[in-house]
Structure formats: structure tokens, C-alpha cells
């Protein structure tokens, strides 16, 4: 029987295809060295249902920490409880402005070729998580954004509403493993907006949710302790804050704390942002050497392609 591995090695011989194979083999070599992998996830990968492969990677111990946007954190949960009510838009490239407005008026939020139903996804999570924020406030407790999501998943209150097999939810797998999770810039997500609104109206205090600097301190601790015994790799899907936030942990420790820690031991980015002047998302791995993020011998790969195709492979 032909496996995915043998098929890729046979057919993916040049250009981005070959880089994909080299990057995958590099990931294997990192794990063979008892390494650890940090996954940075931007874009709309949760709505693209990356959880089908990522959850299994977490359960098999091949992903050891995640840095993701607030949108990816919440959209995996939306997908878990409302997928049957998502509205596919197969001809999304031809939508008119009026058709977009009609989707909006129906309470549908479009993510490329599918719409998330606001009432059956966002609002259902909103009511449950507001309760957790208020409970934390009453107890004088503070948690990171993802810890409230973990608590919601572990409580089982949403289990009756699951509309996909939970083994395809990366958030469920992460909560079960208590995976280290970092969500920089969480405030720009839907549920992050809900939290800000609750603070404005005085329903909850801003102090019940830990912020970005505290996430960075937590990440510093993770890198310090993990790198003592394991090389740590970095697999980046897309660009933006999910990647930049986590990557800069190493130069922070080296330059601002004056401590000697190893650089990231592997680097791969899937991106459709072409290399250009001043583009963080499009900068090459070599440029990261000058910022003390990678070293001259770090295996580094850039796959210029569509992450919804490349990442599962």
C-alpha cells in the first residue's frame, strides 16, 4: 500500500514540493533527537479544519506547544459545536457587495468559502465563557485566555452540542494534554472583543484575564526549562503575531536577560507572502540570523504555498 510518505517522496521532487519533503524529514530528525516542536498558527486554519491532522499530532506527542491567534483558538471551538450549521459558499470569488451584506444580515460571518453562524457559534460560547470570567472575578482569580477555553472544554457543558468528532478538535486534544498554549493579541478575536465589551460595561474586571506580557513571561519560562534538555523547533503557518511573538523569545533571553540559551533548532514557515522589503511575513530565514532567532546551522525551510494544502501533508 502506498503511504503518504512514499507518495510525497516519489512525486514531490522539486521547488516548493521538494522543500515540503525536506521540511517534513527535518521535523522527523528533530523528534529523533528527542526534540520538541512549537507550532505557530496564523490565518484561519481552525475554520479550515486543520484540527483533523493537528489533534492527532498533539495526541502522538509530535507538537509540544502552540502559539496561535485568538481567532484560531476560538474558531476550533466554534467548529466543534456548530459545524452542521456552517453555510458553504462555493462561488465565494464571485460574491457581490450586496450578497456580502445579505450574508451579514443573516448573521453569517464569512471566512473565505464558508460562513460561521453568529448565534449558533459565537453567542453560544460567549454566554458560557462570560460565566467563567465572572466566577473567576468572584474568587479573585486570574487566568490566561486559553485557560478559560480549556476549562470550558474540560467541564463538558458543551459536549452535548458537539457536531464533529472531538478527536478532530485540536483544542480538545490540547486541553486533554494541558499543552502549553500562547495567544498573543487575543483581544482582536471575537471572544476577545466580547471580553473588552464586558470590561467597558463594568460586568467584569480586566484583571481576570492575563495579558500579553504575562504570556511572554510564561513563554520565557517554557523555553528556558525545555531547552535545557531538548532542542526546540519552530513550525510557522502564516505570518503575523502568532509567529513573531514566539520567535522573539530567544533573542529576548539572550540579549535582554543576558542568558545563554540555544537558538531554535529547526525552522519552517508555510507562507504565501513573497519576500519583499520590510515584510516580516515574507522575510527569509537568513534574515532571522541577524536577530539572534536562528543560527547558521539551523535547518530552515520556507514553503511558498497554500497552508491549507501543505500543513496536513
Amino acid at each position: 500500500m502506498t503511504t503518504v510518505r512514499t507518495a510525497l517522496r516519489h512525486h514531490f521532487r522539486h521547488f516548493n514540493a521538494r522543500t515540503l519533503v525536506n521540511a517534513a524529514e527535518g521535523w522527523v530528525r528533530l523528534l529523533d533527537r528527542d526534540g520538541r516542536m512549537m507550532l505557530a498558527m496564523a490565518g484561519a486554519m481552525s475554520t479550515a479544519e486543520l484540527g483533523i491532522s493537528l489533534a492527532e499530532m498533539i495526541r502522538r506527542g509530535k507538537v509540544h506547544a502552540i502559539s496561535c491567534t485568538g481567532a484560531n483558538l476560538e474558531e476550533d471551538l466554534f467548529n466543534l459545536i456548530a459545524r452542521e450549521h456552517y453555510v458553504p459558499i462555493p462561488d465565494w470569488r464571485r460574491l457581490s457587495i450586496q450578497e456580502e451584506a445579505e450574508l451579514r444580515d443573516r448573521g453569517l460571518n464569512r471566512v473565505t468559502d464558508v460562513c460561521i453562524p453568529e448565534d449558533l457559534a459565537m453567542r453560544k460560547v460567549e454566554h458560557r465563557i462570560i460565566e467563567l470570567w465572572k466566577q473567576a472575578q468572584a474568587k479573585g482569580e486570574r487566568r490566561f485566555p486559553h485557560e478559560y477555553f480549556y476549562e470550558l472544554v474540560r467541564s463538558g457543558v458543551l459536549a452535548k452540542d458537539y457536531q464533529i468528532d472531538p478527536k478532530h478538535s485540536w483544542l480538545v486534544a490540547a486541553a486533554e494534554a494541558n499543552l502549553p498554549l500562547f495567544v498573543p493579541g487575543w483581544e482582536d478575536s471575537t471572544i476577545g472583543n466580547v471580553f473588552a465589551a464586558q470590561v467597558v460595561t463594568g460586568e467584569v474586571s480586566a484583571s481576570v484575564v492575563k495579558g500579553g506580557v504575562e504570556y511572554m513571561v510564561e513563554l520565557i519560562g517554557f523555553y528556558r526549562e525545555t531547552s535545557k534538555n531538548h532542542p526546540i523547533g519552530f513550525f510557522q503557518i502564516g505570518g503575523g503575531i502568532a509567529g513573531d511573538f514566539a520567535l522573539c523569545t530567544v533573542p529576548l533571553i539572550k540579549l535582554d536577560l543576558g542568558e545563554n540559551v540555544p537558538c531554535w533548532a529547526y525552522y519552517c514557515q508555510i507562507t504565501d507572502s513573497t519576500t519583499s522589503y520590510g515584510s516580516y511575513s515574507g522575510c527569509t530565514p537568513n534574515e532571522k540570523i541577524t536577530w539572534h532567532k536562528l543560527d547558521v546551522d539551523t535547518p530552515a525551510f520556507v514553503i511558498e504555498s497554500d497552508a491549507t494544502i501543505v500543513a496536513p501533508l
Side-chain angles (χ1 to χ4, degrees):
M1 180 182 292
T2 300
T3 65
V4 172
R5 178 177 300 198
T6 57
L8 292 180
R9 283 176 171 163
H10 180 70
H11 293 285
F12 282 34
R13 296 180 177 230
H14 298 283
F15 316 140
N16 281 296
R18 183 62 201 169
T19 305
L20 183 154
V21 174
N22 290 342
E25 290 175 340
W27 191 328
V28 172
R29 286 193 294 271
L30 177 76
L31 296 184
D32 286 346
R33 295 166 53 204
D34 198 26
R36 299 292 183 264
M37 185 63 81
M38 163 74 78
L39 175 75
M41 183 164 45
M45 298 308 295
S46 289
T47 296
E49 300 186 78
L50 185 66
I52 294 171
S53 54
L54 178 54
E56 185 70 8
M57 292 287 282
I58 294 170
R59 284 192 294 269
R60 294 195 185 195
K62 300 181 187 299
V63 171
H64 306 88
I66 292 176
S67 172
C68 72
T69 58
N72 274 305
L73 173 67
E74 65 190 15
E75 286 181 17
D76 187 80
L77 186 55
F78 297 160
N79 184 69
L80 181 63
I81 64 171
R83 171 51 67 168
E84 293 176 5
H85 301 288
Y86 280 36
V87 177
I89 310 291
D91 58 346
W92 57 272
R93 289 182 175 87
R94 295 188 294 178
L95 287 176
S96 67
I97 293 176
Q98 185 56 43
E99 287 170 323
E100 299 276 21
E102 290 169 0
L103 290 173
R104 176 201 63 198
D105 295 342
R106 289 168 57 193
L108 297 172
N109 301 129
R110 185 168 71 85
V111 181
T112 308
D113 67 349
V114 68
C115 290
I116 303 174
E118 188 166 321
D119 288 342
L120 295 171
M122 287 83 157
R123 300 311 169 197
K124 187 179 291 185
V125 171
E126 172 186 333
H127 299 315
R128 294 292 188 180
I129 208 160
I130 287 174
E131 291 177 16
L132 298 183
W133 294 333
K134 290 183 175 180
Q135 289 171 15
Q137 180 168 284
K139 297 176 184 177
E141 296 175 348
R142 305 180 67 245
R143 300 189 189 98
F144 286 112
H146 77 274
E147 291 180 310
Y148 288 103
F149 281 82
Y150 278 6
E151 183 178 356
L152 194 55
V153 168
R154 291 167 180 159
S155 72
V157 297
L158 292 173
K160 68 181 188 317
D161 298 318
Y162 288 176
Q163 295 186 356
I164 65 167
D165 190 328
K167 75 178 184 181
H168 292 157
S169 165
W170 72 261
L171 181 62
V172 169
E176 290 173 349
N178 199 31
L179 197 77
L181 195 58
F182 308 93
V183 192
W186 170 73
E187 298 83 359
D188 79 351
S189 65
T190 298
I191 301 301
N193 286 181
V194 169
F195 178 72
Q198 291 287 302
V199 172
V200 170
T201 59
E203 294 295 319
V204 296
S205 168
S207 65
V208 303
V209 174
K210 294 182 179 180
V213 172
E214 289 163 296
Y215 258 137
M216 182 59 77
V217 171
E218 190 81 2
L219 183 52
I220 290 167
F222 168 82
Y223 199 93
R224 274 172 164 169
E225 291 305 309
T226 305
S227 64
K228 288 177 182 177
N229 302 304
H230 310 278
I232 308 175
F234 198 94
F235 190 86
Q236 181 174 350
I237 301 174
I241 192 172
D244 295 336
F245 181 88
L247 262 180
C248 71
T249 308
V250 170
L252 189 162
I253 297 172
K254 283 176 171 288
L255 303 179
D256 300 316
L257 294 175
E259 300 175 17
N260 185 24
V261 294
C263 288
W264 295 99
Y266 163 102
Y267 176 78
C268 177
Q269 182 183 18
I270 305 169
T271 179
D272 59 3
S273 176
T274 56
T275 302
S276 61
Y277 300 109
S279 168
Y280 284 124
S281 297
C283 81
T284 63
N286 286 2
E287 189 174 319
K288 300 181 192 304
I289 294 173
T290 71
W291 292 90
H292 300 264
K293 296 172 182 177
L294 307 181
D295 213 337
V296 293
D297 58 353
T298 305
F301 312 90
V302 174
I303 308 167
E304 296 177 327
S305 189
D306 183 335
T308 62
I309 298 170
V310 171
L313 293 175

